[in-house]
Short mmCIF file of all heavy atoms in Angstrom, two decimals:
data_model
loop_
_atom_site.label_atom_id
_atom_site.label_comp_id
_atom_site.label_asym_id
_atom_site.label_seq_id
_atom_site.Cartn_x
_atom_site.Cartn_y
_atom_site.Cartn_z
N GLY A 62 -64.12 45.98 -131.80
CA GLY A 62 -65.30 45.19 -131.48
C GLY A 62 -66.52 46.01 -131.87
O GLY A 62 -66.53 47.24 -131.72
N ASN A 63 -67.54 45.35 -132.37
CA ASN A 63 -68.79 46.02 -132.76
C ASN A 63 -68.51 47.16 -133.74
O ASN A 63 -69.08 48.25 -133.61
CB ASN A 63 -69.55 46.53 -131.53
CG ASN A 63 -69.75 45.46 -130.49
OD1 ASN A 63 -70.07 44.33 -130.81
ND2 ASN A 63 -69.52 45.80 -129.24
N LEU A 64 -67.66 46.90 -134.69
CA LEU A 64 -67.23 47.91 -135.65
C LEU A 64 -68.43 48.56 -136.34
O LEU A 64 -69.31 47.88 -136.83
CB LEU A 64 -66.30 47.27 -136.68
CG LEU A 64 -65.48 48.21 -137.55
CD1 LEU A 64 -64.59 49.11 -136.70
CD2 LEU A 64 -64.62 47.41 -138.51
N GLY A 65 -68.43 49.90 -136.33
CA GLY A 65 -69.48 50.65 -137.01
C GLY A 65 -70.79 50.73 -136.24
O GLY A 65 -71.78 51.21 -136.78
N LYS A 66 -70.80 50.27 -135.00
CA LYS A 66 -72.03 50.32 -134.20
C LYS A 66 -71.87 51.30 -133.06
O LYS A 66 -70.75 51.70 -132.70
CB LYS A 66 -72.36 48.93 -133.65
CG LYS A 66 -72.66 47.93 -134.76
CD LYS A 66 -73.04 46.60 -134.20
CE LYS A 66 -73.35 45.66 -135.36
NZ LYS A 66 -73.31 44.28 -134.99
N HIS A 67 -72.99 51.68 -132.46
CA HIS A 67 -72.97 52.66 -131.37
C HIS A 67 -72.06 52.21 -130.21
O HIS A 67 -71.41 53.02 -129.57
CB HIS A 67 -74.39 52.90 -130.86
CG HIS A 67 -74.45 53.82 -129.69
ND1 HIS A 67 -74.17 55.17 -129.79
CD2 HIS A 67 -74.71 53.60 -128.38
CE1 HIS A 67 -74.26 55.73 -128.60
NE2 HIS A 67 -74.59 54.79 -127.73
N ASN A 68 -72.03 50.91 -129.93
CA ASN A 68 -71.24 50.39 -128.81
C ASN A 68 -69.86 49.90 -129.25
O ASN A 68 -69.29 48.99 -128.64
CB ASN A 68 -72.00 49.27 -128.10
CG ASN A 68 -72.30 48.10 -129.02
OD1 ASN A 68 -72.22 48.20 -130.24
ND2 ASN A 68 -72.66 46.97 -128.42
N MET A 69 -69.30 50.55 -130.26
CA MET A 69 -68.00 50.16 -130.80
C MET A 69 -66.89 50.25 -129.75
O MET A 69 -66.87 51.17 -128.93
CB MET A 69 -67.64 51.06 -132.00
CG MET A 69 -66.38 50.64 -132.73
SD MET A 69 -66.19 51.53 -134.30
CE MET A 69 -64.96 52.72 -133.83
N LEU A 70 -65.99 49.29 -129.81
CA LEU A 70 -64.81 49.26 -128.95
C LEU A 70 -63.58 49.40 -129.83
O LEU A 70 -63.52 48.84 -130.93
CB LEU A 70 -64.71 47.93 -128.20
CG LEU A 70 -65.87 47.57 -127.28
CD1 LEU A 70 -65.75 46.12 -126.84
CD2 LEU A 70 -65.87 48.48 -126.08
N VAL A 71 -62.61 50.14 -129.35
CA VAL A 71 -61.32 50.27 -130.03
C VAL A 71 -60.27 49.73 -129.08
O VAL A 71 -60.20 50.13 -127.91
CB VAL A 71 -61.02 51.75 -130.37
CG1 VAL A 71 -59.60 51.89 -130.90
CG2 VAL A 71 -62.01 52.28 -131.38
N GLY A 72 -59.47 48.81 -129.58
CA GLY A 72 -58.41 48.25 -128.78
C GLY A 72 -57.06 48.47 -129.42
O GLY A 72 -56.95 48.61 -130.64
N LEU A 73 -56.05 48.52 -128.59
CA LEU A 73 -54.68 48.66 -129.07
C LEU A 73 -53.87 47.49 -128.52
O LEU A 73 -53.81 47.27 -127.31
CB LEU A 73 -54.07 49.99 -128.61
CG LEU A 73 -52.67 50.29 -129.15
CD1 LEU A 73 -52.69 50.48 -130.66
CD2 LEU A 73 -52.11 51.55 -128.48
N ARG A 74 -53.29 46.73 -129.43
CA ARG A 74 -52.39 45.64 -129.05
C ARG A 74 -50.98 46.21 -129.10
O ARG A 74 -50.54 46.72 -130.13
CB ARG A 74 -52.52 44.47 -130.02
CG ARG A 74 -51.63 43.29 -129.69
CD ARG A 74 -51.82 42.18 -130.73
NE ARG A 74 -51.11 40.98 -130.35
CZ ARG A 74 -49.83 40.74 -130.62
NH1 ARG A 74 -49.11 41.63 -131.28
NH2 ARG A 74 -49.27 39.60 -130.24
N VAL A 75 -50.28 46.15 -127.97
CA VAL A 75 -48.92 46.68 -127.86
C VAL A 75 -47.98 45.50 -127.66
O VAL A 75 -48.04 44.83 -126.63
CB VAL A 75 -48.79 47.69 -126.68
CG1 VAL A 75 -47.37 48.22 -126.59
CG2 VAL A 75 -49.81 48.82 -126.82
N GLU A 76 -47.16 45.26 -128.65
CA GLU A 76 -46.18 44.18 -128.57
C GLU A 76 -44.81 44.81 -128.37
O GLU A 76 -44.20 45.33 -129.31
CB GLU A 76 -46.19 43.34 -129.84
CG GLU A 76 -45.21 42.19 -129.79
CD GLU A 76 -45.20 41.36 -131.06
OE1 GLU A 76 -46.17 41.42 -131.84
OE2 GLU A 76 -44.20 40.64 -131.27
N MET A 77 -44.34 44.79 -127.15
CA MET A 77 -43.03 45.34 -126.83
C MET A 77 -41.96 44.42 -127.40
O MET A 77 -42.05 43.21 -127.28
CB MET A 77 -42.83 45.45 -125.32
CG MET A 77 -43.71 46.47 -124.63
SD MET A 77 -43.42 48.15 -125.17
CE MET A 77 -41.68 48.35 -124.81
N ARG A 78 -40.95 45.03 -128.02
CA ARG A 78 -39.82 44.28 -128.55
C ARG A 78 -38.55 44.59 -127.76
O ARG A 78 -37.68 43.77 -127.65
CB ARG A 78 -39.60 44.62 -130.02
CG ARG A 78 -40.75 44.19 -130.92
CD ARG A 78 -40.72 42.67 -131.11
NE ARG A 78 -41.80 42.18 -131.92
CZ ARG A 78 -41.69 41.87 -133.19
NH1 ARG A 78 -40.56 42.01 -133.82
NH2 ARG A 78 -42.74 41.41 -133.85
N GLU A 79 -38.45 45.81 -127.26
CA GLU A 79 -37.32 46.24 -126.44
C GLU A 79 -37.88 47.12 -125.32
O GLU A 79 -38.83 47.84 -125.57
CB GLU A 79 -36.32 47.07 -127.26
CG GLU A 79 -35.61 46.33 -128.37
CD GLU A 79 -34.59 45.34 -127.87
OE1 GLU A 79 -34.06 45.54 -126.76
OE2 GLU A 79 -34.33 44.35 -128.56
N PRO A 80 -37.43 47.11 -124.13
CA PRO A 80 -36.26 46.43 -123.60
C PRO A 80 -36.49 44.94 -123.35
O PRO A 80 -35.54 44.21 -123.09
CB PRO A 80 -35.99 47.15 -122.29
CG PRO A 80 -37.33 47.61 -121.83
CD PRO A 80 -38.08 47.92 -123.10
N THR A 81 -37.72 44.50 -123.42
CA THR A 81 -38.03 43.09 -123.25
C THR A 81 -39.22 42.77 -124.13
O THR A 81 -39.93 43.67 -124.56
CB THR A 81 -38.32 42.77 -121.76
OG1 THR A 81 -38.47 41.37 -121.61
CG2 THR A 81 -39.57 43.46 -121.27
#
Side-chain angles (χ1 to χ4, degrees):
N63 308 317
L64 194 58
K66 296 183 179 161
H67 176 70
N68 61 343
M69 186 169 102
L70 300 169
V71 172
L73 185 65
R74 181 181 188 274
V75 180
E76 181 181 341
M77 292 297 302
R78 295 286 178 100
E79 295 288 334
T81 186

